Amino acid sequence: MMWCSELITISGGFRELKSSLKKLIISNCKLGALASGLQCCASLEEFVIWHWGELIHMNDLQELSSLRRLSINRYDKFIKEDCMGNLTQLRELNIGGFSNELEAFPVGLVNSFQHPNLSGSLEEVEIYGWDKLKSVPHQLQHLTALKTLKIWGFNREEFKEALPNRLANLSSLRRLDIVSCKNIKHLPSSTTIQRLSKLETLRICECPREENCRKEKNGWEWPKISHIPTIIFY
């Protein structure tokens, strides 16, 4: 793990660790680029980038062929290039909490969801909102192998629904978490929820209007979700 607010370079590289490095966490650094040789670390399975405000180029991610879990949070720069399309082993992705200069997820990240290497293999996605974010990225609809989707902290006033109707294409989805979304107005349509035929668990937490989904409150949303085997509120 690297947690050095003034770190701007890493001397040397990662080539000597290419067969043994499994997990790398870089947080609160000012690095201008990924360290030399990181792309040689074919053994790397988990990579976490947290609040890495000065990172500009992410092309080296394309070479991390063994990467199974990737977390990119509080990243302050625009990402225009497809930085994940070649990650054939990626199973878990955690993204969000980006710069308030952005009103949507960086194009280079979410457009990667259309790549066959991800659309047919990515199984869990956790996304975090930020102040200016208006909606869940529509590109999620391409992740047909997705089993778990967790939505956190979408609090902008314009954010009205948890899951746009076009995301009914998530035919493999088994778990949906909606957490700390204070301005959510309603769930998707009944048709959309019914199309999520494999959905087994719905968790709604810290959402002020969750009472609309509760059977004991005669919530008007309850008929939409009553068929789901496990529903969790708290």
Side-chain angles (χ1 to χ4, degrees), residues 186-205:
H186 57 82
L187 293 174
S189 68
S190 295
T191 300
T192 297
I193 295 177
Q194 289 293 333
R195 286 183 61 188
L196 300 175
S197 58
K198 294 185 179 180
L199 190 62
E200 299 173 348
T201 302
L202 173 64
R203 186 168 74 108
I204 303 176
C205 305

Side-chain angles (χ1 to χ4, degrees), residues 8 10 18 34 52-53 59 135 146 155-156 158 190 216 219:
I8 57 176
I10 300 176
K18 65 181 181 180
L34 292 173
W52 198 352
N59 290 330
S135 64
L146 195 65
N155 291 324
R156 185 165 176 166
E158 290 88 343
S190 295
E216 65 271 19

